[in-house]
Amino acid sequence: MDKKNAKRAGVVAAGTTLMMMLMTAPALALVRDDGDDPGPGLSAMETIGLYVVAPIAIFLAITALVMVLDKSKKQV
């Protein structure tokens, strides 16, 4: 891929991301809907555990399963 196409792809990706971020309107999240019943918030440690530790643990578990159940020949 030449530099011109790479720049064009980068600009399109950046523009698309920017437009998606601008159109999400996070301020609308403050408006309560009928029947809205939010639960208690998460602590900092619960948030880190849910969004950092849990995905890493899942990734490591999948990696371990793939390595253990791999049936291909080992190269020596």
Side-chain angles (χ1 to χ4, degrees):
M1 183 186 292
D2 59 354
K3 288 183 181 182
K4 188 175 183 180
N5 284 342
K7 282 184 184 180
R8 183 177 297 148
V11 169
V12 168
T16 303
T17 303
L18 180 63
M19 289 306 294
M20 286 173 51
M21 288 172 53
L22 289 173
M23 293 175 66
T24 55
L28 294 176
L30 296 176
V31 177
R32 290 290 167 102
D33 291 332
D34 290 337
D36 190 14
D37 188 19
L42 297 175
S43 70
M45 291 307 294
E46 289 173 332
T47 303
I48 291 171
L50 183 62
Y51 293 108
V52 177
V53 176
I56 291 173
I58 292 170
F59 174 79
L60 291 175
I62 293 170
T63 303
L65 285 172
V66 168
M67 291 176 72
V68 168
L69 300 175
D70 183 24
K71 296 191 189 271
S72 65
K73 290 184 178 180
K74 305 279 188 225
Q75 299 233 352
V76 179

